[in-house]
């Protein structure tokens, strides 16, 4: 999402809704890393975690990274949010995806995966912005600034789809095969929320595809295993998709 305002202090309606959703889901059912990630982003948004920047100051763009070497935005932009409702929708999505993947992969493996996906989404965002500027001649792609966890969530959604058996999903009231659901969601969000970052969401999908369908995913799994000593075990269809992608 493009940053449109400074972080507001205190409790807002979106935070209240998020608390209600978490209670309805069951706090005890949310895995620890997922819960801590949500709490940390909420505390960051409301200002209880004191940081020496404002949300809009760490929005990420190609020009900030490539020209000005702004590594703060590269590392931090995924964890800031532009509004309470932006935070609400992202954290509800994280509850669902984290509750599915974290128990399957293991808590420490999931933490490392989130960190790698965050870095990958930032790298993909600035790369897409630069590439689109070169192809179209539109300098706006190079300077477009965004914040939020949405790109990482799109990457996680691709991974969830790869772990699941083929089935139909409901996306905005439309029943579609799960292998195309993420692309339908990308289009719907862009149409319904024009201020959202299409480049960021697309970048998240591409990062998820790299993990699911290429040797990069195997490298990531090997890194996590080296650090934690616990392998990431995927469902059988995940391995089939990864092995058959380039056939």
């Amino acid at each position: 999402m493009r940053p449109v305002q400074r972080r507001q202090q205190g409790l807002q309606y979106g935070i209240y809704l998020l608390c209600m959703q978490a209670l309805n889901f069951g706090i005890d059912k949310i895995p620890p890393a997922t819960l801590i990630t949500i709490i940390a982003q909420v505390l960051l948004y409301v200002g209880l975690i004191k940081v020496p920047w404002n949300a809009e100051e760490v929005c990420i763009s190609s020009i900030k990274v490539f020209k000005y070497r702004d590594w703060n935005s590269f590392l931090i932009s995924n964890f800031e949010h532009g509004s309470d409702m932006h935070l609400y929708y992202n954290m509800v999505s994280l509850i669902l995806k984290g509750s599915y993947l974290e128990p399957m992969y293991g808590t420490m493996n999931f933490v490392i995966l989130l960190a790698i996906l965050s870095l990958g989404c930032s790298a993909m965002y600035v790369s897409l912005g630069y590439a689109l500027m070169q192809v179209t001649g539109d300098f706006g792609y190079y300077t477009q600034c965004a914040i939020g966890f949405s790109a990482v969530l799109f990457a996680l959604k691709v991974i969830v789809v790869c772990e699941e058996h083929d089935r139909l999903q409901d996306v905005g009231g439309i029943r579609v095969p799960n292998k195309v659901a993420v692309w339908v969601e990308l289009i719907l969000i862009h149409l319904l929320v024009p201020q959202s970052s299409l480049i960021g969401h697309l970048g998240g999908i591409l990062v998820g595809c790299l993990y699911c369908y290429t040797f990069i995913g195997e490298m990531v799994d090997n890194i996590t295993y080296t650090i934690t000593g616990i392998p990431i075990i995927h469902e059988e269809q995940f391995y089939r998709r990864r092995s058959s992608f380039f056939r």
Side-chain angles (χ1 to χ4, degrees), residues 57-146:
E57 293 174 351
V58 293
C59 68
I60 188 171
S61 69
S62 301
I63 191 171
K64 288 176 71 174
V65 174
F66 287 134
K67 184 174 181 179
Y68 299 110
R69 301 294 189 267
D70 185 349
W71 302 115
N72 282 338
S73 66
F74 189 89
L75 297 172
I76 299 168
S77 60
N78 287 318
F79 304 101
E80 286 281 9
H81 289 82
S83 71
D84 59 320
M85 296 308 296
H86 183 206
L87 176 70
Y88 163 71
Y89 286 118
N90 278 357
M91 295 304 98
V92 169
S93 179
L94 180 57
I95 288 175
L96 299 176
K97 294 171 178 63
S99 296
Y100 179 83
L101 291 175
E102 185 178 336
M104 182 186 301
Y105 291 171
T107 293
M108 288 308 301
N109 285 342
F110 186 69
V111 169
I112 295 170
L113 179 62
L114 282 181
I116 293 174
L117 290 178
S118 178
L119 294 174
C121 287
S122 292
M124 186 65 74
Y125 181 87
V126 298
S127 298
L128 284 175
Y130 178 80
L132 287 170
M133 185 266 291
Q134 293 291 333
V135 171
T136 66
D138 186 348
F139 198 68
Y141 289 116
Y142 195 55
T143 59
Q144 186 179 114
C145 227

Side-chain angles (χ1 to χ4, degrees), residues 153-201:
L153 292 170
F154 267 93
L156 289 175
K157 183 175 182 62
V158 173
I159 297 172
V160 169
V161 167
C162 288
E163 294 286 6
E164 293 180 328
H165 292 283
D166 291 332
R167 62 183 180 86
L168 294 178
Q169 285 194 23
D170 188 292
V171 180
I174 304 172
R175 300 284 288 176
V176 296
N178 69 347
K179 62 184 178 181
V180 301
V182 67
W183 298 103
V184 175
E185 185 174 340
L186 173 69
I187 295 170
L188 284 178
I189 289 178
H190 184 59
L191 292 176
L192 297 175
V193 190
Q195 70 269 29
S196 64
S197 174
L198 178 64
I199 298 176
H201 296 168

Side-chain angles (χ1 to χ4, degrees), residues 1-12:
M1 180 177 181
R2 297 165 195 166
V4 295
Q5 62 181 38
R6 293 184 179 273
R7 178 165 56 246
Q8 301 293 313
Q9 302 294 323
L11 186 65
Q12 298 179 55

